[in-house]
Amino acid sequence: MGQHLFFEKIAFTKADRNRYVDEQLIWQFIASASNQDMDFSGASLNKFISGLDEVPAHVADLIEQKIDYMDAAFRNWDQAKRKMLKKVHVGSLFQVVDHAIEQGWTEERFGEWVESFLIDHIPWIVRMANSVRRVQQASSLYLKGLIT
């Protein structure tokens, strides 16, 4: 999963890669696809990981489908747009993909919507939230409310 081309579209810093933030995102995806009701702090994620024997095949398949959907949504984004796609947004977007698919959105429409969201709404959410976890939670709730 971590070798998917989608991860090249995320604006990871060198420090992010050194701290394995890309791998943390995959664990967040696994927890989300496993319907775990948890925050994605390091402690919660470590607890989830330590209790997991293996990733069920249906969970791995679901994650792959959602990553493919997001990859297609951002396929035509240039470097400037990709810089907007930060690690803090990706976990929330992963959770919202289900809702977009349920609404019948194409990958292209989802990509356009994400672009608008990142430009118009993220600065407001960041001002309202004072932590990465709160940004993810607020973004996820806000995104679900917008995709109807």
Side-chain angles (χ1 to χ4, degrees):
M1 280 183 251
Q3 302 304 316
H4 197 289
L5 291 176
F6 170 72
F7 289 96
E8 293 178 10
K9 294 175 172 62
I10 303 170
F12 288 119
T13 65
K14 184 176 180 180
D16 290 338
R17 295 227 185 253
N18 289 340
R19 291 190 322 251
Y20 303 102
V21 172
D22 50 343
E23 291 178 21
Q24 289 174 356
L25 273 176
I26 294 169
W27 287 112
Q28 287 180 11
F29 292 174
I30 293 168
S32 176
S34 300
N35 296 316
Q36 295 295 308
D37 185 22
M38 59 182 271
D39 64 37
F40 294 118
S41 67
S44 294
L45 208 51
N46 286 338
K47 184 177 178 183
F48 168 73
I49 293 166
S50 66
L52 189 66
D53 292 328
E54 66 180 83
V55 178
H58 74 278
V59 170
D61 291 344
L62 176 61
I63 293 167
E64 196 70 33
Q65 290 170 2
K66 291 172 75 169
I67 291 174
D68 286 344
Y69 183 90
M70 290 192 298
D71 184 52
F74 310 128
R75 182 169 291 133
N76 296 322
W77 282 27
D78 60 21
Q79 280 301 112
K81 289 181 186 176
R82 288 182 186 182
K83 286 182 181 181
M84 294 186 302
L85 190 60
K86 308 258 186 234
K87 63 185 180 257
V88 70
H89 307 133
V90 177
S92 298
L93 294 173
F94 182 84
Q95 293 177 20
V96 175
V97 164
D98 292 328
H99 195 65
I101 292 170
E102 288 170 12
Q103 297 298 315
W105 283 23
T106 64
E107 293 93 340
E108 183 179 356
R109 182 172 180 199
F110 183 70
E112 291 168 355
W113 178 83
V114 169
E115 180 181 355
S116 171
F117 175 76
L118 293 176
I119 293 169
D120 298 335
H121 302 288
I122 285 293
W124 175 81
I125 290 172
V126 169
R127 284 194 306 272
M128 304 310 281
N130 61 3
S131 72
V132 168
R133 189 177 90 229
R134 286 190 177 155
V135 168
Q136 287 178 327
Q137 290 169 342
S139 296
S140 183
L141 291 173
Y142 189 77
L143 290 167
K144 288 178 182 176
L146 287 176
I147 298 180
T148 55

